[in-house]
Amino acid sequence: MAVSKFSKYDVADLLGFSRIAEVTDAEVWSCLLTPQVKALIGPITEFGQPQVMETEKGHFPGDEVTNLNKHLLYGGKGGYVRFPYISTFHRTAYGALVIKRDALKIKVFGWVGDVVKGSAELIFISALRDRRFDGSKRANDTALLYYPYDDPVFHKRLSENLRSVEVSIYSFLPGSRVVAATGEPEFDEFIEKPFTFLDRPELFAHYFARVWKSKRAPGQWAAPIGDVSKLALAGFERVASRRGYDLLEAAVSHYHVARWFGSGGYRYSFEEGEREVTRFAASIKRLKEGGISLTRSQESWLCVLQSLRPVELIAQGLFLDGPIWPQDNVGPRLLWMNKPLTQKAFELIGNPLPDPVVQPRLV
């Protein structure tokens, strides 16, 4: 056989090693941590050494990783992940900085307090994940958060010809968690994951009435850190561009998050998602023009409220008669938004694509 007959292929690419995993600790410190986050955790006092790990258990309680595919390794034992990952534990003046990498993602955690003694608070999470295996079970081996990415319809990539990376960001001011102020773990959980309470509609309505009067938006079980919303998106863009990615993507959990990404130049990936959010925006505008005053967090809660059934439980004047928020982090559907970084991406997905399927709308 002639040597020219052998096929040529990128071994590292086929095995799933991504450029995003090559982001250095120095880049994390300069691009992904904002000045206020750095001030809260303090300067690094003890630089950690990277450790190759394969257990769900991390360096300390709260530092665990996910194993969504539930692999059983080493003779059927649980507590392991399928692929090893690298974890680096840097001690800081006021807490810790932990950076985890596997073949497809990098995830950064900022802590305030004594992590070893279990008295620390998680105040910051920042992550980027290569989407090349989305739509298959393999994606769940390196999931970004705690929901799967294997649905072949809802998690299908925008284009096989683009290198895309999903971004995620959370920040929490220390000492501001709802459960710390109220002593009510269930109320705290409702604010963090309100859609999981829809199967208990009376309880949902009870907690909704309470949170409606607060300044906390859905998902904000602690107050956000001020400069994260101003600087995080630019940091993601710098890191992804340096590594040759064409596209940034985000799965948008709530209305206020969609508005934030929209202000940063992100647009909706699919037509149906864009239509649903546009309907919400129009309904909210009509309420305001009719004399109802709404804060930004109330606008977001209003979108969550539309999923409550029976509709008689929705407070008078707050039923929008139609739209249902498309992402609940319970079912497989996600509300994707994206920002092209290269001309190639602009040309391939200049406009939102037709939805993979048309969702039945609850009325």
Side-chain angles (χ1 to χ4, degrees), residues 159-313:
S159 172
E160 298 293 324
N161 297 316
L162 297 175
R163 291 183 179 271
S164 65
V165 61
E166 180 188 3
V167 301
S168 180
I169 185 79
Y170 295 88
S171 69
F172 318 102
L173 274 175
S176 67
R177 184 155 186 169
V178 169
V179 69
T182 65
E184 299 178 71
E186 190 175 63
F187 184 42
D188 183 273
E189 183 183 357
F190 172 78
I191 295 174
E192 182 183 1
K193 298 179 289 188
F195 290 105
T196 63
F197 283 71
L198 290 172
D199 60 348
R200 293 159 284 174
E202 298 282 353
L203 185 61
F204 181 103
H206 168 71
Y207 282 143
F208 177 86
R210 290 180 59 186
V211 78
W212 182 254
K213 301 173 184 178
S214 76
K215 295 182 179 180
R216 295 293 169 82
Q220 289 183 346
W221 43 259
I225 297 172
D227 70 346
V228 170
S229 63
K230 298 179 178 66
L231 303 175
L233 295 183
F236 285 140
E237 190 168 337
R238 285 196 297 273
V239 169
S241 295
R242 289 176 183 176
R243 291 298 183 275
Y245 282 89
D246 301 297
L247 189 68
L248 288 171
E249 298 189 78
V252 181
S253 54
H254 296 289
Y255 182 72
H256 67 285
V257 182
R259 287 185 60 188
W260 179 58
F261 274 105
S263 69
Y266 285 67
R267 69 271 182 90
Y268 297 96
S269 297
F270 297 103
E271 293 174 348
E272 182 70 10
E274 182 177 40
R275 282 196 296 269
E276 288 298 310
V277 179
T278 300
R279 290 183 68 195
F280 272 110
S283 297
I284 290 169
K285 182 180 179 181
R286 283 195 298 270
L287 287 182
K288 288 184 171 182
E289 290 175 345
I292 295 179
S293 178
L294 296 171
T295 65
R296 183 162 183 158
S297 62
Q298 286 175 331
E299 290 178 2
S300 205
W301 277 113
L302 189 63
C303 297
V304 175
L305 180 64
Q306 303 313 303
S307 295
L308 182 62
R309 295 295 181 273
V311 296
E312 288 74 19
L313 289 173

Side-chain angles (χ1 to χ4, degrees), residues 20-197:
I20 207 64
E22 298 173 354
V23 173
T24 66
D25 289 13
E27 285 178 289
V28 167
W29 186 263
S30 63
C31 297
L32 300 183
L33 298 182
T34 67
Q36 288 186 6
V37 171
K38 292 177 185 177
L40 287 167
I41 66 173
I44 295 176
T45 57
E46 183 180 333
F47 289 89
Q49 295 300 314
Q51 297 182 42
V52 178
M53 304 173 69
E54 54 187 341
T55 58
E56 293 180 4
K57 182 180 178 181
H59 298 283
F60 47 82
D63 187 48
E64 296 80 12
V65 299
T66 57
N67 183 16
L68 296 185
N69 282 339
K70 299 301 180 186
H71 293 288
L72 298 178
L73 305 178
Y74 303 107
K77 295 179 182 179
Y80 295 90
V81 293
R82 181 181 178 190
F83 298 117
Y85 60 94
I86 299 170
S87 186
T88 310
F89 172 20
H90 300 290
R91 293 182 181 273
T92 65
Y94 312 125
L97 172 67
V98 178
I99 303 172
K100 297 181 184 291
R101 298 176 181 80
D102 59 30
L104 291 179
K105 71 173 181 289
I106 182 167
K107 202 166 182 179
V108 182
F109 305 85
W111 295 83
V112 169
D114 193 327
V115 294
V116 175
K117 292 183 177 179
S119 59
E121 289 185 70
L122 179 63
I123 69 158
F124 182 76
I125 307 173
S126 181
L128 299 100
R129 180 187 68 92
D130 192 297
R131 290 198 63 204
R132 70 182 67 187
F133 296 125
D134 278 23
S136 70
K137 282 288 186 182
R138 189 170 178 181
N140 294 344
D141 288 319
T142 57
L144 190 63
L145 296 173
Y146 305 101
Y147 49 76
Y149 293 85
D150 59 323
D151 190 286
V153 175
F154 293 114
H155 302 156
K156 185 179 180 180
R157 294 167 56 198
L158 287 173
S159 172
E160 298 293 324
N161 297 316
L162 297 175
R163 291 183 179 271
S164 65
V165 61
E166 180 188 3
V167 301
S168 180
I169 185 79
Y170 295 88
S171 69
F172 318 102
L173 274 175
S176 67
R177 184 155 186 169
V178 169
V179 69
T182 65
E184 299 178 71
E186 190 175 63
F187 184 42
D188 183 273
E189 183 183 357
F190 172 78
I191 295 174
E192 182 183 1
K193 298 179 289 188
F195 290 105
T196 63
F197 283 71

